[in-house]
Amino acid sequence: REPVILQYQDLNRRFFFGPRYAGERDRTSGGSGFIIDGNRIITNAHVLGPRNPVRIEATMTDGRVLTVTGGLVDRMLDLAVLEVESQDLPVAPLGSSDDILVGEWAIAIGNPLDLGTTVSIGVISALDRDFQEPQGSYHYRDMIQTDAAIHHGNSGGPLVNALGEVIGINSFIYGGGGERGYDFGSIGIGFAIPIGAARRFLSEIETYGRVRLPWHGIVDLQDLTPRLAKYLELDNTDGALVAQIAVDSPVYMTDLARGDVILAINGETVRSADGAWGILTQMRVSETCTIDIFRRGSR
């Protein structure tokens, strides 16, 4: 199995607005990834940073440095696939998200703290973890939870089972105090994107040659305050208020209207605006969904 270490250098101009100076600096960052075929590597989108990096290099465990020649990113799913010049590289076998069991062994491979290729072992702690609120810029759903040690630099690396099959992509941890991130180190609560989501991402690229961005037409959703819920005759503040819809959009052609309260999407309860966005961002082009709404006192 051949994990890789990813590094990129961002040479774009960065301005620091303040009372004393404005300047620029080079920024180098890193992460992990794994090879899925002869010349492609998969990783997290956030490993590449919020902007397009100038140069990306992939370092193999044997010391070889591969130049990345291209790639595609799905920033909604926090996934990226990179193409490298070398051919016939050793490939990591992909497992199935449907076969994972809570309690089975889990092995995290990556480049934590820029130490080089590192392996940690644990178990699958839970499945189908959803986060109502975005973690940074991303909405994570159906995540795999593991207690295998994950640190900064593990992002994008493989989570494998006892057979060496990749079952997830290590993405983030919870630090002390319930905060997402790496400032507190690993406390045994790490999360990985299921390999099934990566398979759908790769299928989209292989079928259409690009990542198609879904569009539903809901422009703005708002949380319900107790006062607003009482005015709308709702028993609680669960749900998301539709504040704006784009004209001639898919939802514009339906019965959904400004002022409706979204209670559920595809049967899944919506508790906040972030929760609704999280469900919607996981949907792909051509998919349909059912939305339960509350309007003028009735569901």
Side-chain angles (χ1 to χ4, degrees), residues 5 7 56-68 84-86:
I5 298 172
Q7 289 189 332
I56 306 173
E57 292 181 344
T59 303
M60 305 286 284
T61 53
D62 60 8
R64 284 181 294 166
V65 178
L66 310 178
T67 299
V68 175
V84 295
E85 292 179 344
S86 296

Side-chain angles (χ1 to χ4, degrees), residues 19-38:
R20 295 184 180 178
Y21 64 89
E24 65 178 69
R25 69 178 183 182
D26 296 348
R27 183 166 64 94
T28 301
S29 183
S32 306
F34 57 95
I35 302 164
I36 55 173
D37 57 30

Side-chain angles (χ1 to χ4, degrees), residues 78-159:
D78 192 17
L79 292 172
V81 62
L82 306 174
E83 297 180 358
V84 295
E85 292 179 344
S86 296
Q87 303 291 324
D88 300 324
L89 297 172
V91 176
L94 303 185
S96 171
S97 301
D98 299 331
D99 297 333
I100 305 173
L101 298 175
V102 173
E104 72 170 288
W105 291 111
I107 305 167
I109 306 174
N111 177 34
L113 307 177
D114 203 25
L115 294 173
T117 303
T118 302
V119 176
S120 60
I121 191 169
V123 298
I124 301 297
S125 304
L127 299 171
D128 301 323
R129 291 294 198 202
D130 293 337
F131 294 85
Q132 289 282 327
E133 298 181 356
Q135 308 301 306
S137 302
Y138 304 96
H139 292 271
Y140 292 106
R141 298 180 55 77
D142 302 323
M143 299 291 284
I144 301 169
Q145 181 180 330
T146 180
D147 65 350
I150 297 174
H151 294 270
H152 179 71
N154 275 109
S155 290
L159 183 72

Side-chain angles (χ1 to χ4, degrees), residues 19-293:
R20 295 184 180 178
Y21 64 89
E24 65 178 69
R25 69 178 183 182
D26 296 348
R27 183 166 64 94
T28 301
S29 183
S32 306
F34 57 95
I35 302 164
I36 55 173
D37 57 30
N39 67 336
R40 291 194 302 172
I41 297 168
I42 195 166
T43 184
N44 283 133
H46 75 255
V47 168
L48 306 182
R51 298 175 299 178
N52 293 327
V54 171
R55 186 175 69 251
I56 306 173
E57 292 181 344
T59 303
M60 305 286 284
T61 53
D62 60 8
R64 284 181 294 166
V65 178
L66 310 178
T67 299
V68 175
T69 58
L72 292 169
V73 173
D74 189 329
R75 297 201 177 275
M76 290 187 177
L77 299 182
D78 192 17
L79 292 172
V81 62
L82 306 174
E83 297 180 358
V84 295
E85 292 179 344
S86 296
Q87 303 291 324
D88 300 324
L89 297 172
V91 176
L94 303 185
S96 171
S97 301
D98 299 331
D99 297 333
I100 305 173
L101 298 175
V102 173
E104 72 170 288
W105 291 111
I107 305 167
I109 306 174
N111 177 34
L113 307 177
D114 203 25
L115 294 173
T117 303
T118 302
V119 176
S120 60
I121 191 169
V123 298
I124 301 297
S125 304
L127 299 171
D128 301 323
R129 291 294 198 202
D130 293 337
F131 294 85
Q132 289 282 327
E133 298 181 356
Q135 308 301 306
S137 302
Y138 304 96
H139 292 271
Y140 292 106
R141 298 180 55 77
D142 302 323
M143 299 291 284
I144 301 169
Q145 181 180 330
T146 180
D147 65 350
I150 297 174
H151 294 270
H152 179 71
N154 275 109
S155 290
L159 183 72
V160 306
N161 59 20
L163 299 176
E165 299 169 333
V166 180
I167 57 175
I169 300 171
N170 302 318
S171 298
F172 70 96
I173 66 173
Y174 262 6
E179 297 294 330
R180 171 194 180 270
Y182 301 93
D183 294 340
F184 302 92
S186 176
I187 60 172
I189 305 178
F191 296 93
I193 296 173
I195 198 61
R199 286 183 182 274
R200 292 191 294 273
F201 166 63
L202 294 171
S203 177
E204 176 89 358
I205 294 173
E206 291 165 359
T207 302
Y208 301 99
R210 61 188 176 87
V211 177
R212 299 181 302 163
L213 296 178
W215 182 59
H216 42 70
I218 299 176
V219 177
D220 189 23
L221 295 173
Q222 296 180 3
D223 289 331
L224 294 172
T225 63
R227 182 176 181 179
L228 185 56
K230 182 178 180 180
Y231 173 79
L232 294 172
E233 301 179 3
L234 285 164
D235 296 332
N236 53 57
T237 58
D238 286 350
L241 179 68
V242 179
Q244 187 178 356
I245 288 176
V247 177
D248 295 331
S249 66
V251 294
Y252 184 82
M253 305 300 180
T254 71
D255 192 39
L256 192 68
R258 184 173 180 268
D260 290 340
V261 177
I262 297 177
L263 301 178
I265 301 175
N266 284 342
E268 184 172 348
T269 301
V270 170
R271 305 195 183 281
S272 65
D274 281 337
W277 286 127
I279 299 173
L280 292 170
T281 55
Q282 300 297 308
M283 299 198 67
R284 302 293 87 191
V285 174
S286 301
E287 292 182 352
T288 60
C289 70
T290 300
I291 300 179
D292 296 344
I293 65 172

